Amino acid sequence: MAALIAENFRFLSLFFKSKDVMIFNGLVALGTVGSEELFSVVAFHCPCSPARNYIYGLAAIGVPALALFLIGVIWNNHTWNLVAECHKRGTKNFSAAATFLLFGSIMGRASVAPITWSVISLLRGEAYICALSEFFKPSSLDKFPAEYGAEVLAKIPCRDVPANLTKFRDEVTRRLRYESQLFGWLLIGIVAVLIFLTKCLKHCCSPLSYRQEAYWAQYRSNEDKLFRRTAEVHSRILAAKNVKQFFGFVALDKEEKELVQEFPVEGVQPSPQWNAITGVYIYRENKGFPLYSRLHKWAKGVEGNGPTPEGHELLFLAS
């Protein structure tokens, strides 16, 4: 039981596992800030009409945040690795906690941009003021004319109010902006605390030393770069051979001719090999030696994805 609990807690390292991830999240946040500023200047126009204000204000915050969230899910490599894993091998190799935290990693990474959008929208206050102006309680204002209701209050964001209500307009706007910014700062605080706790748990539960984890990150980066570069060259040479077989010749530039001469391609990799190196990878050790990726595991000839009698495997998700 203790081993199972320790195994599942190691999956708490799903969030923010490397400086590269932190830099990427920072760039996403900065890009989102710029997009929100542009949206507020160009696209946001409160309808200043009862019932419409609330829907429009919430949509201005929620719909872009939803779109950014879905884009984040699509761009996350874990999403498609998980799809491939479920399609080829199912989730039998993962415990319920591991599967849950894997989804948590995908959701957490995808939440960077929508949370940033929501925070900036709340700090600016325009969407919040538009959405809730008609629900403002006139009784909280001293000497506010009783004959005016939600229809007039809904026009406050557009400053289209009767002359005798001009002095109340700034007060209503100020209070609503205060509430909006308060929610924005609270959201920042909550997210900061969650990130801090996650980082602490990650370092406490990691089965790797700091240096080995840094080495693993470098290995994954280098393997990915070399694999992509080699795959591009391999596919180009293979395509050249097939085109030559069809036409009898192939039009290659000088660089491509050198590639064809230097790297002879005899054939293609069978599908079982592609399937073996595709999918979610969890850090493993076999006979005390680390296996840093599915490709590394395939190259060492280690079969299966579960623990073996000869090897002890530590579960730690790659970023």
Side-chain angles (χ1 to χ4, degrees), residues 54-257:
Y54 184 70
I55 296 175
Y56 184 83
L58 292 184
I61 299 175
V63 173
L66 177 61
L68 291 170
F69 176 78
L70 294 177
I71 293 173
V73 171
I74 292 172
W75 278 358
N76 195 320
N77 289 334
H78 282 323
T79 302
W80 307 115
N81 284 333
L82 180 61
V83 171
E85 186 75 23
C86 294
H87 177 65
K88 298 297 181 182
R89 288 173 284 269
T91 57
K92 60 181 181 297
N93 295 316
F94 301 106
S95 64
T99 304
F100 173 78
L101 289 173
L102 177 59
F103 276 106
S105 173
I106 296 172
M107 300 299 107
R109 298 278 184 84
S111 297
V112 174
I115 288 177
T116 303
W117 178 277
S118 300
V119 166
I120 299 301
S121 296
L122 289 172
L123 292 180
R124 289 181 60 90
E126 281 86 351
Y128 187 90
I129 293 172
C130 178
L132 296 182
S133 59
E134 63 183 284
F135 300 106
F136 190 87
K137 294 182 179 180
S139 58
S140 63
L141 298 173
D142 186 32
K143 299 181 180 179
F144 188 88
E147 63 270 19
Y148 296 114
E151 184 174 351
V152 173
L153 290 172
K155 297 180 180 180
I156 284 180
C158 298
R159 300 181 178 273
D160 184 17
V161 295
N164 60 333
L165 294 183
T166 303
K167 62 179 181 181
F168 298 105
R169 182 186 60 203
D170 292 339
E171 178 66 16
V172 172
T173 301
R174 184 186 64 82
R175 292 190 187 183
L176 291 176
R177 180 170 282 110
Y178 154 76
E179 293 178 4
S180 179
Q181 293 182 347
L182 176 62
F183 289 137
W185 290 119
L186 287 176
L187 183 57
I188 291 175
I190 292 172
V191 172
V193 170
L194 289 176
I195 293 175
F196 172 75
L197 293 177
T198 301
K199 293 286 288 183
C200 290
L201 288 172
K202 178 257 179 178
H203 287 291
C204 290
C205 300
S206 173
L208 307 179
S209 66
Y210 173 79
R211 291 188 180 276
Q212 187 179 7
E213 187 176 342
Y215 176 86
W216 186 28
Q218 291 174 347
Y219 172 85
R220 292 196 311 271
S221 176
N222 289 325
E223 181 189 84
D224 182 66
K225 291 177 183 177
L226 291 173
F227 188 91
R228 290 176 182 272
R229 191 185 310 162
T230 305
E232 195 276 333
V233 173
H234 185 281
S235 62
R236 186 184 302 183
I237 296 174
L238 181 62
K241 290 181 63 176
N242 294 335
V243 171
K244 183 177 181 180
Q245 185 175 354
F246 184 83
F247 287 106
F249 74 95
V250 58
L252 300 175
D253 58 27
K254 182 179 179 181
E255 180 184 355
E256 290 170 334
K257 289 179 180 179

Side-chain angles (χ1 to χ4, degrees), residues 6-26:
E7 169 186 318
N8 289 330
F9 264 107
R10 290 188 182 103
F11 277 86
L12 291 172
S13 59
L14 291 170
F15 302 100
F16 308 103
K17 282 180 279 304
S18 70
K19 292 181 180 178
D20 290 340
V21 173
M22 295 297 291
I23 293 173
F24 176 78
N25 288 338

